[in-house]
Amino acid sequence: MTKLKVCGIATLDDAIELAKLNVHMLGFVTDPISPRYVKFDFLNFLKSLTLPLVSVNVFNIREAIRRTPSNFLIQVHRILNDDEMDIMTTYERKFIMYVPMSERYLPYLEKALNLTGMVLLDLERKSDKPDLNFASKVLKDHPEVGIGGGINLDNVREFLKLEPGWIDVSRGVEDFPGKKNLNKVRKLLEVIA
Ligand SMILES: O=C(O)c1ccccc1N[C@@H]1O[C@H](COP(=O)(O)O)[C@@H](O)[C@H]1O
């Protein structure tokens, strides 16, 4: 069954309340590029939560590896070059590797799948439309892969038809950047069930 990761969480209350729902993973963007940015120190307030927690990073990967609590997964939300990919293999950490949802990134997808069992197919740019045909092809061979990209209550069924390992949702369950709407999350969980 497809699991739900709610990402871009920026308040302790939201994290605690979402953890009480049947959400599978909670994501926190620890890169200042995001309007949902939280400082690494904020992650230390989440240690009482027992579900999988994810630190999402774009440009501060090394800092993230150094400052993210050891129980967190680290999401690398940027295309890495070969040297950076090699360096990733030297760390004893669980990574989620972001891969843009586009045919031209198939070679990178293979590299990411060799590095980690957790790959997230997501938009190359937040303004893009998801390439669900490409995502469908990937998921036929790699059903464990997660998918994101503007998922919300109106379009979630299109993504669920592909039977991804998980769906990754941030903007689609927000009142404003960083503030999650618990009722929208509850409704998403009802659709997934
Ligand atoms: O959410 C952000 O602000 C963000 C910033 C920088 C890198 C990644 C970010 N979010 C990731 O993108 C997916 C999908 O988000 P959305 O549902 O399309 O808004 C989200 O789950 C994060 O993993």
Side-chain angles (χ1 to χ4, degrees), residues 29-185:
V29 184
T30 47
D31 193 305
I33 193 177
S34 170
R36 299 163 186 86
Y37 162 62
V38 296
K39 293 183 177 179
F40 285 107
D41 291 347
F42 174 82
L43 305 183
N44 294 310
F45 289 93
L46 302 167
K47 287 185 175 173
S48 63
L49 302 182
T50 55
L51 76 169
L53 305 173
V54 184
S55 162
V56 179
N57 305 273
V58 183
F59 298 112
N60 60 350
I61 311 297
R62 286 177 185 268
E63 184 185 14
I65 291 168
R66 184 165 50 80
R67 297 187 60 190
T68 297
S70 58
N71 62 307
F72 276 64
L73 290 90
I74 294 179
Q75 181 172 317
V76 178
H77 214 92
R78 173 169 64 83
I79 300 298
L80 302 183
N81 62 38
D82 287 346
D83 290 343
E84 289 173 320
M85 290 286 266
D86 289 345
I87 292 168
M88 301 292 285
T89 62
T90 66
Y91 294 108
E92 290 291 313
R93 291 300 297 253
K94 285 188 179 177
F95 292 104
I96 296 176
M97 295 298 288
Y98 152 76
V99 177
M101 204 184 305
S102 165
E103 290 277 352
R104 63 195 181 96
Y105 288 98
L106 260 178
Y108 187 76
L109 171 67
E110 294 308 322
K111 291 179 185 174
L113 287 166
N114 286 331
L115 179 71
T116 175
M118 294 191 78
V119 165
L120 171 64
L121 288 179
D122 191 8
L123 303 175
E124 192 170 1
R125 288 167 296 271
K126 292 288 181 186
S127 55
D128 290 347
K129 291 277 180 239
D131 181 347
L132 296 186
N133 290 328
F134 172 66
S136 177
K137 278 168 59 177
V138 170
L139 287 164
K140 281 188 174 54
D141 295 330
H142 304 286
E144 76 282 3
V145 163
I147 189 169
I151 298 177
N152 58 42
L153 284 167
D154 296 328
N155 65 19
V156 64
R157 289 173 180 80
E158 295 167 49
F159 290 83
L160 292 174
K161 280 178 193 165
L162 307 181
E163 298 183 337
W166 81 90
I167 58 172
D168 208 313
V169 186
S170 182
R171 290 170 291 171
V173 289
E174 283 188 335
D175 289 328
F176 52 83
K179 180 64 189 82
K180 301 306 166 184
N181 180 313
L182 290 179
N183 285 331
K184 287 184 178 179
V185 176

